[in-house]
Amino acid sequence: MIKSGIDQQALATMFAQATEQQGDALRKAVNDATLKALQGREMTVKNIRSVLKSVTQAASTGAASSGLSAVDVEGLLGKAIDGMDAALLRAVEAQKTALAQFMQQGVGAQEKQMAPLLANLERMEDVFFSTVAKAAQTAGGPLQGPWDQALSALKMKGSDTGASASATVEQLMTQAQTTFRDGRAASLRSAESLMKGYATLVSGILIGMTEGLRGPRDEPAPAAAPAPAGAARKTKK
């Protein structure tokens, strides 16, 4: 079943057939599948939630039929969360690149178009945790405990997504102050024009970043579905 650019059946099968020693492979599969799905759509909060929901549901479906103990299932679900966190970290980096480009062209942090984008970036960790938690609730039964434990463990140490988002917003605010002091400011019309394609630009940057990490012999992610036809190439506390 393909949903939100995720081949849920393929991902679920990996979890169903996994052993406790295959956690790293699952983490990579989740990371790759999540990245592929994010690249295939505009980077909006709505789309990010949709992708995370699909991955969580697939992991739940597979883990439920794995036959592993609750402790081992918790470990696999933890790897799924780590994989999603790694993918969102790349999404944060892509947003940072796009927003920095706009600021270099004089778009201020307080512009009506920029302020909500910075706010969405800052709450990326909240979006991550709340989306996975809500999707995991639908699994219910014996999986609820393992999901809760896996999420609690990440919340205690903090996600890479959250740490990066906070640092990124702080850096961008500093950059905005420097731009203001330098006297560079775009007109309202120019700002609107520059930021009109923000979500599409971020997805494009994410694709470039990911391809830059791949070696020439890397294989496509096994659990990722092709981007939907016509799909266009975005959000801590």
Side-chain angles (χ1 to χ4, degrees):
M1 178 181 179
I2 307 296
K3 187 175 182 181
S4 298
I6 299 289
D7 188 338
Q8 289 182 302
Q9 185 58 55
L11 203 56
T13 298
M14 288 191 69
F15 275 87
Q17 298 176 351
T19 66
E20 59 271 27
Q21 289 81 30
Q22 295 175 316
D24 289 339
L26 285 178
R27 178 190 181 281
K28 184 179 187 307
V30 168
N31 173 51
D32 291 348
T34 305
L35 274 175
K36 283 284 188 180
L38 291 174
Q39 291 167 351
R41 62 204 62 245
E42 293 186 338
M43 195 68 64
T44 63
V45 176
K46 179 180 179 180
N47 285 336
I48 290 172
R49 286 190 184 279
S50 179
V51 170
L52 294 177
K53 178 181 178 181
S54 295
V55 174
T56 302
Q57 290 175 336
S60 295
T61 299
S65 58
S66 66
L68 296 175
S69 67
V71 173
D72 291 335
V73 167
E74 179 187 328
L76 295 183
L77 296 180
K79 292 296 184 180
I81 291 173
D82 288 345
M84 286 185 275
D85 186 22
L88 287 182
L89 175 60
R90 305 300 297 178
V92 167
E93 293 170 350
Q95 292 176 69
K96 175 183 178 180
T97 299
L99 291 171
Q101 289 179 7
F102 290 136
M103 287 186 174
Q104 287 171 359
Q105 297 181 61
V107 180
Q110 301 306 316
E111 296 280 359
K112 68 177 183 180
Q113 301 88 357
M114 180 71 83
L117 298 179
L118 288 171
N120 285 338
L121 179 58
E122 193 169 25
R123 68 188 184 97
M124 277 283 278
E125 186 179 71
D126 287 338
V127 170
F128 177 25
F129 288 153
S130 63
T131 302
V132 174
K134 184 175 181 179
Q137 286 178 357
T138 62
L143 285 182
Q144 191 62 60
W147 269 121
D148 289 344
Q149 291 299 319
L151 275 170
S152 294
L154 185 60
K155 287 179 180 180
M156 286 184 65
K157 69 176 184 179
S159 70
D160 290 338
T161 296
S164 178
S166 292
T168 292
V169 171
E170 184 176 348
Q171 292 168 10
L172 289 172
M173 293 302 292
T174 299
Q175 179 179 338
Q177 292 173 356
T178 300
T179 299
F180 180 78
R181 287 198 301 269
D182 290 346
R184 290 179 282 125
S187 67
L188 179 59
R189 178 173 297 179
S190 296
E192 291 176 344
S193 177
L194 282 170
M195 306 196 68
K196 186 175 182 180
Y198 171 78
T200 302
L201 172 62
V202 174
S203 292
I205 291 173
L206 183 59
I207 290 174
M209 291 170 58
T210 305
E211 290 178 346
L213 293 175
R214 257 187 214 135
R217 296 185 181 180
D218 284 352
E219 296 295 331
R233 293 289 208 210
K234 172 191 164 109
T235 134
K236 177 165 183 186
K237 303 173 185 174

